[in-house]
mmCIF file of all heavy atoms in Angstrom:
data_model
loop_
_atom_site.group_PDB
_atom_site.id
_atom_site.type_symbol
_atom_site.label_atom_id
_atom_site.label_comp_id
_atom_site.label_asym_id
_atom_site.label_seq_id
_atom_site.Cartn_x
_atom_site.Cartn_y
_atom_site.Cartn_z
ATOM 1 N N THR B 89 8.956 -26.244 -5.123
ATOM 2 C CA THR B 89 8.193 -27.369 -4.516
ATOM 3 C C THR B 89 6.773 -27.495 -5.073
ATOM 4 O O THR B 89 6.205 -28.540 -4.763
ATOM 5 C CB THR B 89 8.126 -26.994 -2.984
ATOM 6 O OG1 THR B 89 7.452 -25.628 -2.760
ATOM 7 C CG2 THR B 89 9.428 -27.010 -2.302
ATOM 8 N N GLU B 90 6.349 -26.545 -5.833
ATOM 9 C CA GLU B 90 5.104 -26.851 -6.458
ATOM 10 C C GLU B 90 4.992 -26.083 -7.823
ATOM 11 O O GLU B 90 5.532 -24.931 -7.975
ATOM 12 C CB GLU B 90 3.840 -26.115 -5.680
ATOM 13 C CG GLU B 90 3.623 -27.014 -4.387
ATOM 14 C CD GLU B 90 2.164 -26.892 -4.031
ATOM 15 O OE1 GLU B 90 1.287 -26.901 -4.753
ATOM 16 O OE2 GLU B 90 1.912 -26.791 -2.706
ATOM 17 N N ASN B 91 4.474 -26.760 -8.848
ATOM 18 C CA ASN B 91 4.303 -26.242 -10.139
ATOM 19 C C ASN B 91 2.864 -26.792 -10.458
ATOM 20 O O ASN B 91 2.566 -27.828 -10.720
ATOM 21 C CB ASN B 91 5.144 -26.781 -11.134
ATOM 22 C CG ASN B 91 4.985 -26.418 -12.576
ATOM 23 O OD1 ASN B 91 3.884 -25.996 -12.959
ATOM 24 N ND2 ASN B 91 5.981 -26.312 -13.432
ATOM 25 N N ASN B 92 1.944 -25.713 -10.455
ATOM 26 C CA ASN B 92 0.518 -26.228 -10.632
ATOM 27 C C ASN B 92 0.161 -26.276 -12.111
ATOM 28 O O ASN B 92 -0.765 -25.601 -12.577
ATOM 29 C CB ASN B 92 -0.300 -24.948 -10.003
ATOM 30 C CG ASN B 92 -1.777 -25.455 -9.783
ATOM 31 O OD1 ASN B 92 -2.123 -26.609 -9.726
ATOM 32 N ND2 ASN B 92 -2.636 -24.511 -9.618
ATOM 33 N N SER B 93 0.826 -27.255 -12.791
ATOM 34 C CA SER B 93 0.601 -27.552 -14.161
ATOM 35 C C SER B 93 0.521 -26.291 -15.104
ATOM 36 O O SER B 93 -0.393 -26.113 -15.950
ATOM 37 C CB SER B 93 -0.825 -28.262 -14.362
ATOM 38 O OG SER B 93 -0.837 -29.390 -13.600
ATOM 39 N N VAL B 94 1.509 -25.467 -14.782
ATOM 40 C CA VAL B 94 1.673 -24.190 -15.580
ATOM 41 C C VAL B 94 2.291 -24.391 -16.992
ATOM 42 O O VAL B 94 3.313 -25.110 -16.954
ATOM 43 C CB VAL B 94 2.539 -23.129 -14.767
ATOM 44 C CG1 VAL B 94 2.608 -21.865 -15.507
ATOM 45 C CG2 VAL B 94 1.918 -22.919 -13.369
ATOM 46 N N PRO B 95 1.833 -23.825 -18.027
ATOM 47 C CA PRO B 95 2.517 -23.993 -19.316
ATOM 48 C C PRO B 95 3.928 -23.537 -19.357
ATOM 49 O O PRO B 95 4.373 -22.619 -18.587
ATOM 50 C CB PRO B 95 1.653 -23.117 -20.287
ATOM 51 C CG PRO B 95 0.209 -22.984 -19.571
ATOM 52 C CD PRO B 95 0.656 -23.069 -18.088
ATOM 53 N N SER B 96 4.756 -24.168 -20.116
ATOM 54 C CA SER B 96 6.143 -23.938 -20.233
ATOM 55 C C SER B 96 6.497 -22.490 -20.634
ATOM 56 O O SER B 96 7.721 -22.153 -20.592
ATOM 57 C CB SER B 96 6.846 -25.012 -20.945
ATOM 58 O OG SER B 96 6.363 -24.980 -22.277
ATOM 59 N N ARG B 97 5.560 -21.789 -21.247
ATOM 60 C CA ARG B 97 5.850 -20.509 -21.694
ATOM 61 C C ARG B 97 5.897 -19.608 -20.505
ATOM 62 O O ARG B 97 6.416 -18.499 -20.677
ATOM 63 C CB ARG B 97 4.719 -20.002 -22.655
ATOM 64 C CG ARG B 97 3.322 -20.009 -22.045
ATOM 65 C CD ARG B 97 2.289 -19.505 -23.192
ATOM 66 N NE ARG B 97 0.960 -19.426 -22.627
ATOM 67 C CZ ARG B 97 0.126 -20.340 -22.623
ATOM 68 N NH1 ARG B 97 0.426 -21.662 -23.061
ATOM 69 N NH2 ARG B 97 -1.131 -20.220 -22.092
ATOM 70 N N PHE B 98 5.695 -19.984 -19.359
ATOM 71 C CA PHE B 98 6.030 -19.422 -17.913
ATOM 72 C C PHE B 98 7.188 -20.076 -17.402
ATOM 73 O O PHE B 98 7.090 -21.209 -17.029
ATOM 74 C CB PHE B 98 4.834 -19.333 -17.082
ATOM 75 C CG PHE B 98 3.633 -18.555 -17.573
ATOM 76 C CD1 PHE B 98 2.625 -19.176 -18.332
ATOM 77 C CD2 PHE B 98 3.584 -17.216 -17.243
ATOM 78 C CE1 PHE B 98 1.646 -18.522 -18.824
ATOM 79 C CE2 PHE B 98 2.470 -16.510 -17.797
ATOM 80 C CZ PHE B 98 1.509 -17.160 -18.594
ATOM 81 N N SER B 99 8.319 -19.420 -17.177
ATOM 82 C CA SER B 99 9.391 -20.074 -16.623
ATOM 83 C C SER B 99 9.955 -19.350 -15.347
ATOM 84 O O SER B 99 10.333 -18.191 -15.509
ATOM 85 C CB SER B 99 10.534 -20.015 -17.785
ATOM 86 O OG SER B 99 11.712 -20.586 -17.163
ATOM 87 N N PRO B 100 9.748 -19.931 -14.187
ATOM 88 C CA PRO B 100 10.171 -19.172 -12.984
ATOM 89 C C PRO B 100 11.643 -19.374 -12.629
ATOM 90 O O PRO B 100 12.289 -20.345 -13.125
ATOM 91 C CB PRO B 100 9.309 -19.884 -11.807
ATOM 92 C CG PRO B 100 9.149 -21.342 -12.356
ATOM 93 C CD PRO B 100 9.208 -21.203 -13.805
ATOM 94 N N GLU B 101 12.189 -18.400 -11.874
ATOM 95 C CA GLU B 101 13.587 -18.519 -11.401
ATOM 96 C C GLU B 101 13.718 -17.921 -10.063
ATOM 97 O O GLU B 101 13.162 -16.757 -9.820
ATOM 98 C CB GLU B 101 14.474 -17.769 -12.397
ATOM 99 C CG GLU B 101 16.041 -17.723 -12.029
ATOM 100 C CD GLU B 101 16.816 -16.801 -12.857
ATOM 101 O OE1 GLU B 101 16.308 -16.096 -13.639
ATOM 102 O OE2 GLU B 101 18.067 -16.694 -12.584
ATOM 103 N N CYS B 102 14.415 -18.576 -9.192
ATOM 104 C CA CYS B 102 14.456 -18.121 -7.809
ATOM 105 C C CYS B 102 15.990 -18.157 -7.439
ATOM 106 O O CYS B 102 16.508 -19.270 -6.923
ATOM 107 C CB CYS B 102 13.728 -18.940 -6.869
ATOM 108 S SG CYS B 102 13.633 -18.332 -5.082
ATOM 109 N N PRO B 103 16.785 -17.123 -7.635
ATOM 110 C CA PRO B 103 18.275 -17.152 -7.502
ATOM 111 C C PRO B 103 18.693 -17.262 -6.017
ATOM 112 O O PRO B 103 19.686 -17.625 -5.595
ATOM 113 C CB PRO B 103 18.713 -15.965 -8.202
ATOM 114 C CG PRO B 103 17.631 -15.015 -8.202
ATOM 115 C CD PRO B 103 16.315 -15.915 -8.296
ATOM 116 N N ASN B 104 17.757 -16.610 -5.182
ATOM 117 C CA ASN B 104 17.961 -16.565 -3.708
ATOM 118 C C ASN B 104 16.556 -16.404 -3.029
ATOM 119 O O ASN B 104 15.663 -16.134 -3.735
ATOM 120 C CB ASN B 104 18.907 -15.581 -3.306
ATOM 121 C CG ASN B 104 18.665 -14.105 -3.719
ATOM 122 O OD1 ASN B 104 17.547 -13.682 -3.515
ATOM 123 N ND2 ASN B 104 19.435 -13.595 -4.580
ATOM 124 N N SER B 105 16.635 -16.492 -1.712
ATOM 125 C CA SER B 105 15.330 -16.443 -1.042
ATOM 126 C C SER B 105 14.683 -15.133 -1.116
ATOM 127 O O SER B 105 13.419 -14.884 -0.699
ATOM 128 C CB SER B 105 15.552 -16.703 0.470
ATOM 129 O OG SER B 105 15.919 -18.104 0.558
ATOM 130 N N SER B 106 15.350 -14.049 -1.597
ATOM 131 C CA SER B 106 14.730 -12.748 -1.516
ATOM 132 C C SER B 106 14.244 -12.308 -2.896
ATOM 133 O O SER B 106 13.412 -11.298 -3.094
ATOM 134 C CB SER B 106 15.853 -11.707 -1.212
ATOM 135 O OG SER B 106 16.246 -11.911 0.112
ATOM 136 N N HIS B 107 14.625 -13.082 -3.984
ATOM 137 C CA HIS B 107 14.189 -12.700 -5.373
ATOM 138 C C HIS B 107 13.536 -13.762 -6.062
ATOM 139 O O HIS B 107 13.933 -15.046 -5.988
ATOM 140 C CB HIS B 107 15.450 -12.192 -6.150
ATOM 141 C CG HIS B 107 16.066 -10.982 -5.696
ATOM 142 N ND1 HIS B 107 17.027 -11.047 -4.686
ATOM 143 C CD2 HIS B 107 15.915 -9.678 -6.027
ATOM 144 C CE1 HIS B 107 17.265 -9.775 -4.369
ATOM 145 N NE2 HIS B 107 16.727 -8.981 -5.171
ATOM 146 N N LEU B 108 12.570 -13.461 -6.926
ATOM 147 C CA LEU B 108 11.780 -14.392 -7.554
ATOM 148 C C LEU B 108 11.487 -13.693 -8.907
ATOM 149 O O LEU B 108 11.061 -12.612 -9.093
ATOM 150 C CB LEU B 108 10.504 -14.835 -6.990
ATOM 151 C CG LEU B 108 9.632 -15.868 -7.535
ATOM 152 C CD1 LEU B 108 10.352 -17.274 -7.629
ATOM 153 C CD2 LEU B 108 8.361 -16.056 -6.842
ATOM 154 N N PHE B 109 11.738 -14.520 -10.097
ATOM 155 C CA PHE B 109 11.320 -14.065 -11.407
ATOM 156 C C PHE B 109 10.445 -14.834 -12.076
ATOM 157 O O PHE B 109 10.362 -16.076 -11.831
ATOM 158 C CB PHE B 109 12.715 -13.934 -12.176
ATOM 159 C CG PHE B 109 13.750 -13.007 -11.764
ATOM 160 C CD1 PHE B 109 14.726 -13.449 -10.865
ATOM 161 C CD2 PHE B 109 13.838 -11.640 -12.186
ATOM 162 C CE1 PHE B 109 15.673 -12.562 -10.347
ATOM 163 C CE2 PHE B 109 14.714 -10.711 -11.678
ATOM 164 C CZ PHE B 109 15.698 -11.251 -10.899
ATOM 165 N N LEU B 110 9.712 -14.216 -13.089
ATOM 166 C CA LEU B 110 8.847 -15.067 -13.935
ATOM 167 C C LEU B 110 9.205 -14.672 -15.291
ATOM 168 O O LEU B 110 8.840 -13.510 -15.734
ATOM 169 C CB LEU B 110 7.426 -14.849 -13.587
ATOM 170 C CG LEU B 110 6.357 -15.824 -14.337
ATOM 171 C CD1 LEU B 110 6.631 -17.221 -13.887
ATOM 172 C CD2 LEU B 110 4.916 -15.336 -13.928
ATOM 173 N N HIS B 111 9.769 -15.574 -16.030
ATOM 174 C CA HIS B 111 10.247 -15.220 -17.434
ATOM 175 C C HIS B 111 9.021 -15.667 -18.366
ATOM 176 O O HIS B 111 8.566 -16.872 -18.175
ATOM 177 C CB HIS B 111 11.510 -16.146 -17.807
ATOM 178 C CG HIS B 111 12.658 -15.624 -16.852
ATOM 179 N ND1 HIS B 111 13.183 -14.509 -16.695
ATOM 180 C CD2 HIS B 111 13.359 -16.421 -16.106
ATOM 181 C CE1 HIS B 111 14.181 -14.484 -15.935
ATOM 182 N NE2 HIS B 111 14.360 -15.714 -15.431
ATOM 183 N N LEU B 112 8.800 -14.766 -19.298
ATOM 184 C CA LEU B 112 7.638 -14.921 -20.097
ATOM 185 C C LEU B 112 8.125 -15.013 -21.657
ATOM 186 O O LEU B 112 8.850 -14.187 -22.101
ATOM 187 C CB LEU B 112 6.592 -13.739 -20.007
ATOM 188 C CG LEU B 112 6.357 -13.312 -18.583
ATOM 189 C CD1 LEU B 112 5.586 -11.978 -18.598
ATOM 190 C CD2 LEU B 112 5.632 -14.405 -17.833
ATOM 191 N N HIS B 113 7.545 -15.949 -22.383
ATOM 192 C CA HIS B 113 7.846 -15.983 -23.846
ATOM 193 C C HIS B 113 6.763 -16.649 -24.490
ATOM 194 O O HIS B 113 6.165 -17.647 -24.076
ATOM 195 C CB HIS B 113 9.216 -16.775 -24.123
ATOM 196 C CG HIS B 113 9.251 -18.133 -23.583
ATOM 197 N ND1 HIS B 113 9.070 -19.153 -24.574
ATOM 198 C CD2 HIS B 113 9.404 -18.747 -22.398
ATOM 199 C CE1 HIS B 113 9.146 -20.370 -23.802
ATOM 200 N NE2 HIS B 113 9.438 -20.047 -22.710
ATOM 201 N N THR B 114 6.488 -16.066 -25.798
ATOM 202 C CA THR B 114 5.363 -16.567 -26.612
ATOM 203 C C THR B 114 4.089 -16.753 -25.943
ATOM 204 O O THR B 114 3.469 -17.812 -25.935
ATOM 205 C CB THR B 114 5.797 -17.823 -27.497
ATOM 206 O OG1 THR B 114 6.027 -18.966 -26.446
ATOM 207 C CG2 THR B 114 6.903 -17.650 -28.307
ATOM 208 N N LEU B 115 3.731 -15.743 -25.144
ATOM 209 C CA LEU B 115 2.377 -15.782 -24.381
ATOM 210 C C LEU B 115 1.219 -15.647 -25.364
ATOM 211 O O LEU B 115 1.475 -15.217 -26.531
ATOM 212 C CB LEU B 115 2.421 -14.735 -23.352
ATOM 213 C CG LEU B 115 3.424 -14.814 -22.214
ATOM 214 C CD1 LEU B 115 3.018 -13.839 -21.179
ATOM 215 C CD2 LEU B 115 3.510 -16.190 -21.694
ATOM 216 N N GLN B 116 0.113 -15.934 -24.878
ATOM 217 C CA GLN B 116 -1.164 -15.928 -25.619
ATOM 218 C C GLN B 116 -1.957 -14.806 -24.918
ATOM 219 O O GLN B 116 -1.920 -14.545 -23.732
ATOM 220 C CB GLN B 116 -1.934 -17.136 -25.510
ATOM 221 C CG GLN B 116 -1.124 -18.422 -25.955
ATOM 222 C CD GLN B 116 -0.815 -18.292 -27.409
ATOM 223 O OE1 GLN B 116 -1.656 -18.059 -28.188
ATOM 224 N NE2 GLN B 116 0.563 -18.503 -27.712
ATOM 225 N N PRO B 117 -2.962 -14.235 -25.670
ATOM 226 C CA PRO B 117 -3.892 -13.182 -25.170
ATOM 227 C C PRO B 117 -4.507 -13.641 -23.879
ATOM 228 O O PRO B 117 -4.741 -12.834 -22.985
ATOM 229 C CB PRO B 117 -4.781 -12.925 -26.315
ATOM 230 C CG PRO B 117 -4.009 -13.222 -27.503
ATOM 231 C CD PRO B 117 -3.166 -14.392 -27.129
ATOM 232 N N GLU B 118 -4.916 -14.829 -23.659
ATOM 233 C CA GLU B 118 -5.524 -15.248 -22.555
ATOM 234 C C GLU B 118 -4.635 -15.369 -21.278
ATOM 235 O O GLU B 118 -5.005 -15.634 -20.165
ATOM 236 C CB GLU B 118 -6.187 -16.760 -22.677
ATOM 237 C CG GLU B 118 -5.087 -17.838 -23.046
ATOM 238 C CD GLU B 118 -5.090 -18.111 -24.539
ATOM 239 O OE1 GLU B 118 -5.374 -17.055 -25.336
ATOM 240 O OE2 GLU B 118 -4.715 -19.209 -24.936
ATOM 241 N N ASP B 119 -3.324 -15.094 -21.468
ATOM 242 C CA ASP B 119 -2.336 -14.969 -20.358
ATOM 243 C C ASP B 119 -2.562 -13.653 -19.742
ATOM 244 O O ASP B 119 -1.882 -13.417 -18.679
ATOM 245 C CB ASP B 119 -0.952 -15.247 -20.814
ATOM 246 C CG ASP B 119 -0.814 -16.739 -21.355
ATOM 247 O OD1 ASP B 119 -1.447 -17.652 -20.610
ATOM 248 O OD2 ASP B 119 -0.153 -16.916 -22.389
ATOM 249 N N SER B 120 -3.126 -12.730 -20.352
ATOM 250 C CA SER B 120 -3.394 -11.322 -19.826
ATOM 251 C C SER B 120 -4.000 -11.480 -18.472
ATOM 252 O O SER B 120 -5.043 -12.110 -18.227
ATOM 253 C CB SER B 120 -4.249 -10.507 -20.747
ATOM 254 O OG SER B 120 -3.514 -10.347 -21.985
ATOM 255 N N ALA B 121 -3.428 -10.900 -17.363
ATOM 256 C CA ALA B 121 -4.002 -11.088 -16.030
ATOM 257 C C ALA B 121 -3.035 -10.218 -15.145
ATOM 258 O O ALA B 121 -2.097 -9.579 -15.555
ATOM 259 C CB ALA B 121 -3.866 -12.533 -15.558
ATOM 260 N N LEU B 122 -3.393 -10.167 -13.761
ATOM 261 C CA LEU B 122 -2.639 -9.602 -12.745
ATOM 262 C C LEU B 122 -1.795 -10.727 -12.126
ATOM 263 O O LEU B 122 -2.440 -11.787 -11.735
ATOM 264 C CB LEU B 122 -3.566 -8.917 -11.693
ATOM 265 C CG LEU B 122 -2.809 -8.239 -10.566
ATOM 266 C CD1 LEU B 122 -2.134 -7.116 -11.039
ATOM 267 C CD2 LEU B 122 -3.775 -7.933 -9.451
ATOM 268 N N TYR B 123 -0.510 -10.559 -12.185
ATOM 269 C CA TYR B 123 0.335 -11.632 -11.624
ATOM 270 C C TYR B 123 0.965 -11.046 -10.336
ATOM 271 O O TYR B 123 1.513 -10.038 -10.241
ATOM 272 C CB TYR B 123 1.639 -11.863 -12.645
ATOM 273 C CG TYR B 123 1.038 -12.669 -13.886
ATOM 274 C CD1 TYR B 123 0.458 -12.005 -14.844
ATOM 275 C CD2 TYR B 123 1.058 -14.093 -13.827
ATOM 276 C CE1 TYR B 123 0.005 -12.682 -16.006
ATOM 277 C CE2 TYR B 123 0.522 -14.801 -14.895
ATOM 278 C CZ TYR B 123 -0.058 -14.028 -15.943
ATOM 279 O OH TYR B 123 -0.565 -14.808 -16.917
ATOM 280 N N LEU B 124 0.599 -11.887 -9.332
ATOM 281 C CA LEU B 124 0.944 -11.532 -7.982
ATOM 282 C C LEU B 124 2.042 -12.450 -7.353
ATOM 283 O O LEU B 124 2.081 -13.593 -7.606
ATOM 284 C CB LEU B 124 -0.303 -11.671 -7.017
ATOM 285 C CG LEU B 124 -1.422 -10.622 -7.285
ATOM 286 C CD1 LEU B 124 -2.775 -11.123 -6.729
ATOM 287 C CD2 LEU B 124 -1.021 -9.222 -6.728
ATOM 288 N N CYS B 125 2.942 -11.742 -6.733
ATOM 289 C CA CYS B 125 3.949 -12.394 -5.974
ATOM 290 C C CYS B 125 3.700 -12.435 -4.548
ATOM 291 O O CYS B 125 3.177 -11.447 -4.017
ATOM 292 C CB CYS B 125 5.359 -11.882 -6.330
ATOM 293 S SG CYS B 125 6.696 -12.384 -5.329
#
Side-chain angles (χ1 to χ4, degrees):
Chain B
T89 54
E90 290 209 39
N91 177 336
N92 193 22
S93 303
V94 180
S96 59
R97 57 185 184 271
F98 295 91
S99 174
E101 179 191 359
C102 188
N104 55 60
S105 293
S106 299
H107 293 86
L108 184 64
F109 295 89
L110 189 62
H111 304 299
L112 315 172
H113 63 98
T114 59
L115 294 193
Q116 305 298 311
E118 59 264 29
D119 297 322
S120 299
L122 180 67
Y123 288 85
L124 291 162
C125 172

